[in-house]
Amino acid sequence: MPSSWLMYIFVYVLVCDGVVAQLENRVLFLFNTFQNVNVNENETVQAVVSRIPLDVAFITLQFHTQHSNATLSYTRMPGLGLSLTAVDSGLLSPLIPGQTKLSWFLLAADGDSVAGTGVILPYTSSDPVPGACNLEFDLDIDPNIYLHYNLFETTIRFAPANIGYSRGSNPPACDTEVGENTRWRLRYDIYQYFLPESDLSEQSLITSIQSVANVQTMREHGKRLMTLSSSDKTEVVFSSIPGQGVIYSVIVRDPVLNTSSSYIPVHTYACSFSSTLDGCDTLGKISTRIFFTIAGLAGLFVCFFGHRFFKCELFCMGFGFAAFLFFVLITRTTKLDYDIRLTLTAVIGVVGGVILVMSWWRFGSVMSCVIVVGLVLGFLISSIVFFTPVGDIQVFRSNVVFWVTFSCIVVVVLLFFVRWPREGNITMCGVAGAYAVVLAVNAYIYTSLSYITLNILKRFLNDNFSKAFTDVPFQDIDFIMITVWVVLGVSGIVLQLYRERTRPFFPPSPYLMWLQERERRKTNVLDPSHHTSSLPSRLLARARQLTGRRESAGERTPLLL
């Protein structure tokens, strides 16, 4: 008897501390109370909840780990349709009349020890039953969200819910009728919650999961992205953000009874913790850092001195224009390694920059070069527009509408360049040059501003990306980088406008100047250079200077033929 009292006191102390005991292979859960659970290799842990109130109609158990799979099972021996293996797993159990105790089983799936956090949530007979109309997945009632990601997009899928029902009664039919008294009245709210940027720690994930695990906390801390009706497809696509932790959840609502319940939240970093090549810890490739560091330094120069050193500006703009187009082409048509593609992109970018400079040097057409520069700024401004919530408007899910609107914005910016070429060129130097600095910083410290252009690149490379939500987190580092971008851009524009106010709009073409000088020498017979070979004026002046020095020294001067 005294030992029993000691056991009760021990459990009570642990509960007061916010952690419930794991005693040998048995874990005692309390409703809405998180607890950390360790499952050793070849061990089965029994999760138990007791003293269930009679008004509770069904219960969900959810268990979360950072990257190791765990198995939840209704039985001690997992079987098909009776268990689920995942990093974010959950089970739903309807209760029978008079039932006050329930248990599940937790196992390590991959033969290694697993540590995670779990919670049990109760629901009444008026609450919707998540996953109760499942026809796609293995579990009979499946409250889980199934997540798949790649470099471009993250997709979540879930089974439809059913309206609530009391203990011992038959579940309402899922698809025999369509009306207000069936599951077709239910609505599904899709929520998203971002973890702290650049934080891959397990503690950060556990804390975040605990803050958004149920209906109330997700509504308080998460962001609702959209609402699906029961007739919509239970699948949503988001833009992948490698290295950024994100939690997704679905809350199903019954608008008639004004009740709701939560599916099992899932998380992703859009990268692998086990890969040694492209894992979450090795996202910053050396080649990428070198490429964007050089681009950032060039952008800083263009931001403040681009218009003054027009040839350098043209080279940088030609480089960026040609490199972007070639990277899209080579990525869509080949499966070369990333470093090889980046190297070839840099080479083609150099070729593009040289071609743009030489076209201006040879033909002297400022307007044709300004058009290319205007396209670069138009692309950036159009990308900024679709980086805002405008990009997630439903009408822009259509590729035709998106690209027509995108092109129209580019054309409007281009018309500004045609009307005010110098002012437009200086504006481009400030805006694009400062953004190149932001991209260089992103190669070392994650910032969401890189997705201004990356989202457009993904849409070029992936035909299905139009379905993805492109929402990204905005945290302290992003506001700092916006400030840096604005300060650099405005400073560069103001400085160049002030410095160039008394200078010609654009420098003349060196080749055309040489042609004009040669023609002048041919037609002006009074010019001494008319009787000499048509060397450039600087070389003639230098020759005359050397000739004068030799004659003063008494040397014989050879005759110039």
Side-chain angles (χ1 to χ4, degrees), residues 397-429:
R397 302 291 175 201
S398 168
N399 280 325
V400 175
V401 176
F402 176 86
W403 289 118
V404 168
T405 308
F406 190 93
S407 302
C408 289
I409 297 175
V410 174
V411 170
V412 170
V413 176
L414 194 58
L415 293 177
F416 172 83
F417 265 73
V418 174
R419 177 61 181 84
W420 297 283
R422 182 175 68 174
E423 290 75 10
N425 186 62
I426 292 176
T427 301
M428 190 284 309
C429 290

Coordinates of all heavy atoms in Angstrom, one line a residue, residues 397-429:
R397 N -2.9 31.0 -61.1 CA -2.6 29.5 -61.2 C -2.5 29.1 -62.7 O -1.9 28.1 -63.0 CB -3.6 28.7 -60.5 CG -3.8 29.0 -59.0 CD -2.6 28.6 -58.3 NE -2.7 29.0 -56.9 CZ -1.7 29.2 -56.0 NH1 -0.5 28.9 -56.5 NH2 -1.9 29.6 -54.8
S398 N -3.2 29.9 -63.5 CA -3.1 29.6 -65.0 C -1.8 30.1 -65.5 O -1.5 31.3 -65.4 CB -4.3 30.3 -65.7 OG -4.2 30.3 -67.1
N399 N -1.1 29.3 -66.2 CA 0.2 29.7 -66.8 C 0.0 30.8 -67.9 O 0.8 31.7 -68.0 CB 0.9 28.5 -67.4 CG 1.6 27.7 -66.4 OD1 2.2 28.2 -65.4 ND2 1.6 26.4 -66.6
V400 N -1.1 30.7 -68.6 CA -1.3 31.7 -69.6 C -1.5 33.1 -69.0 O -0.9 34.1 -69.4 CB -2.6 31.4 -70.5 CG1 -2.9 32.5 -71.5 CG2 -2.3 30.0 -71.2
V401 N -2.4 33.2 -68.0 CA -2.7 34.5 -67.3 C -1.4 35.0 -66.7 O -1.1 36.2 -66.7 CB -3.8 34.3 -66.3 CG1 -4.0 35.6 -65.5 CG2 -5.1 33.9 -67.0
F402 N -0.7 34.1 -66.0 CA 0.5 34.5 -65.3 C 1.6 35.1 -66.2 O 2.1 36.2 -66.0 CB 1.1 33.3 -64.6 CG 2.4 33.6 -63.9 CD1 2.5 34.2 -62.6 CD2 3.7 33.4 -64.5 CE1 3.7 34.5 -62.0 CE2 4.9 33.7 -63.9 CZ 4.9 34.2 -62.6
W403 N 1.9 34.4 -67.3 CA 3.0 34.8 -68.2 C 2.5 36.1 -69.0 O 3.4 36.9 -69.3 CB 3.4 33.7 -69.1 CG 4.2 32.7 -68.4 CD1 3.9 31.3 -68.2 CD2 5.4 32.8 -67.7 NE1 4.8 30.7 -67.5 CE2 5.8 31.6 -67.1 CE3 6.3 33.9 -67.4 CZ2 6.9 31.4 -66.4 CZ3 7.4 33.7 -66.7 CH2 7.7 32.5 -66.1
V404 N 1.3 36.2 -69.4 CA 0.8 37.4 -70.0 C 0.9 38.6 -69.1 O 1.4 39.7 -69.5 CB -0.6 37.2 -70.5 CG1 -1.2 38.5 -71.0 CG2 -0.7 36.2 -71.7
T405 N 0.5 38.5 -67.9 CA 0.6 39.6 -66.9 C 2.1 39.9 -66.6 O 2.4 41.1 -66.6 CB -0.1 39.2 -65.6 OG1 -1.5 38.8 -65.9 CG2 -0.2 40.4 -64.7
F406 N 2.9 38.9 -66.5 CA 4.3 39.0 -66.2 C 4.9 39.8 -67.3 O 5.7 40.8 -67.1 CB 5.0 37.7 -66.0 CG 6.4 37.7 -65.5 CD1 6.6 37.7 -64.2 CD2 7.4 37.9 -66.4 CE1 8.0 37.7 -63.7 CE2 8.7 37.9 -65.9 CZ 9.0 37.9 -64.6
S407 N 4.6 39.4 -68.6 CA 5.2 40.1 -69.7 C 4.7 41.5 -69.9 O 5.5 42.4 -70.3 CB 4.9 39.3 -71.0 OG 5.3 38.0 -70.9
C408 N 3.5 41.8 -69.5 CA 3.0 43.2 -69.6 C 3.7 44.1 -68.7 O 4.0 45.2 -69.0 CB 1.5 43.2 -69.3 SG 0.4 42.4 -70.6
I409 N 4.0 43.6 -67.5 CA 4.7 44.4 -66.5 C 6.1 44.7 -67.1 O 6.6 45.9 -67.0 CB 4.8 43.7 -65.2 CG1 3.4 43.6 -64.6 CG2 5.7 44.5 -64.2 CD1 3.4 42.8 -63.3
V410 N 6.8 43.7 -67.7 CA 8.1 43.9 -68.2 C 8.0 45.0 -69.4 O 8.9 45.8 -69.5 CB 8.6 42.6 -68.8 CG1 10.0 42.8 -69.5 CG2 8.9 41.6 -67.6
V411 N 7.0 44.9 -70.2 CA 6.9 45.8 -71.3 C 6.7 47.3 -70.8 O 7.2 48.2 -71.3 CB 5.7 45.4 -72.2 CG1 5.4 46.5 -73.3 CG2 6.1 44.1 -73.0
V412 N 5.9 47.4 -69.8 CA 5.6 48.8 -69.2 C 6.9 49.4 -68.7 O 7.2 50.6 -68.9 CB 4.6 48.7 -68.0 CG1 4.6 50.0 -67.3 CG2 3.2 48.3 -68.6
V413 N 7.8 48.6 -68.0 CA 9.1 49.1 -67.5 C 9.9 49.4 -68.7 O 10.7 50.4 -68.7 CB 9.7 48.0 -66.7 CG1 11.1 48.4 -66.3 CG2 8.9 47.7 -65.4
L414 N 9.9 48.6 -69.8 CA 10.7 48.8 -71.0 C 10.3 50.2 -71.6 O 11.1 50.9 -72.2 CB 10.5 47.7 -72.0 CG 11.5 47.6 -73.1 CD1 12.9 47.5 -72.6 CD2 11.2 46.4 -74.0
L415 N 9.0 50.5 -71.7 CA 8.6 51.8 -72.2 C 9.1 52.9 -71.4 O 9.4 54.0 -72.0 CB 7.0 51.8 -72.2 CG 6.3 50.8 -73.2 CD1 4.8 50.9 -73.1 CD2 6.7 51.1 -74.6
F416 N 9.2 52.8 -70.1 CA 9.9 53.8 -69.3 C 11.3 54.0 -69.7 O 11.8 55.2 -69.8 CB 9.8 53.4 -67.8 CG 10.6 54.3 -66.9 CD1 10.0 55.5 -66.4 CD2 11.8 53.9 -66.5 CE1 10.7 56.3 -65.6 CE2 12.6 54.8 -65.7 CZ 12.0 55.9 -65.2
F417 N 12.0 52.9 -70.1 CA 13.4 53.1 -70.5 C 13.5 53.8 -71.9 O 14.4 54.6 -72.1 CB 14.0 51.7 -70.7 CG 14.8 51.2 -69.5 CD1 14.1 50.8 -68.3 CD2 16.1 51.1 -69.5 CE1 14.8 50.4 -67.2 CE2 16.8 50.7 -68.4 CZ 16.2 50.4 -67.3
V418 N 12.5 53.5 -72.8 CA 12.5 54.2 -74.1 C 12.3 55.7 -73.9 O 12.9 56.5 -74.6 CB 11.5 53.6 -75.0 CG1 11.4 54.3 -76.3 CG2 11.8 52.1 -75.3
R419 N 11.4 56.1 -73.0 CA 11.1 57.5 -72.8 C 12.3 58.2 -72.0 O 12.6 59.3 -72.4 CB 9.8 57.6 -72.1 CG 9.4 59.1 -71.8 CD 9.3 59.9 -73.0 NE 8.9 61.3 -72.8 CZ 9.8 62.2 -72.5 NH1 11.1 61.9 -72.4 NH2 9.4 63.5 -72.2
W420 N 12.8 57.6 -71.0 CA 13.8 58.2 -70.2 C 15.0 57.2 -70.1 O 15.1 56.6 -69.0 CB 13.3 58.6 -68.8 CG 12.2 59.6 -68.8 CD1 12.4 61.0 -69.0 CD2 10.8 59.4 -68.6 NE1 11.1 61.6 -68.9 CE2 10.2 60.6 -68.7 CE3 10.0 58.2 -68.4 CZ2 8.8 60.8 -68.6 CZ3 8.7 58.4 -68.3 CH2 8.1 59.6 -68.4
P421 N 15.8 57.1 -71.1 CA 16.8 56.0 -71.1 C 17.9 56.2 -70.0 O 18.3 55.2 -69.4 CB 17.4 56.2 -72.5 CG 17.1 57.5 -73.0 CD 15.8 57.9 -72.3
R422 N 18.4 57.5 -69.8 CA 19.4 57.6 -68.8 C 18.9 57.4 -67.4 O 19.5 56.6 -66.6 CB 20.0 59.0 -68.9 CG 21.2 59.2 -67.8 CD 21.9 60.6 -68.0 NE 21.0 61.7 -67.6 CZ 21.4 62.9 -67.5 NH1 22.6 63.2 -67.8 NH2 20.5 63.9 -67.2
E423 N 17.8 58.0 -67.1 CA 17.2 57.8 -65.7 C 16.8 56.3 -65.5 O 17.0 55.7 -64.4 CB 15.9 58.6 -65.5 CG 16.2 60.1 -65.4 CD 16.6 60.8 -66.8 OE1 16.4 60.1 -67.8 OE2 17.0 61.9 -66.8
G424 N 16.3 55.6 -66.5 CA 16.0 54.2 -66.4 C 17.2 53.4 -66.2 O 17.2 52.4 -65.4
N425 N 18.3 53.7 -66.9 CA 19.5 52.9 -66.8 C 20.1 53.1 -65.4 O 20.6 52.1 -64.8 CB 20.5 53.4 -67.9 CG 21.8 52.5 -67.9 OD1 21.7 51.3 -68.1 ND2 22.9 53.1 -67.6
I426 N 20.1 54.3 -64.9 CA 20.6 54.5 -63.5 C 19.8 53.8 -62.5 O 20.3 53.2 -61.5 CB 20.7 56.0 -63.3 CG1 21.8 56.6 -64.1 CG2 21.0 56.3 -61.8 CD1 22.0 58.1 -64.0
T427 N 18.4 53.8 -62.7 CA 17.5 53.1 -61.8 C 17.8 51.6 -61.8 O 17.9 51.0 -60.7 CB 16.1 53.4 -62.2 OG1 15.8 54.8 -62.1 CG2 15.1 52.6 -61.2
M428 N 18.0 51.1 -63.0 CA 18.4 49.7 -63.1 C 19.7 49.3 -62.3 O 19.8 48.3 -61.6 CB 18.5 49.3 -64.5 CG 18.6 47.8 -64.8 SD 20.2 47.1 -64.4 CE 21.3 48.2 -65.4
C429 N 20.7 50.2 -62.5 CA 22.0 50.0 -61.8 C 21.8 49.9 -60.3 O 22.3 49.0 -59.6 CB 22.9 51.1 -62.1 SG 23.5 51.1 -63.8

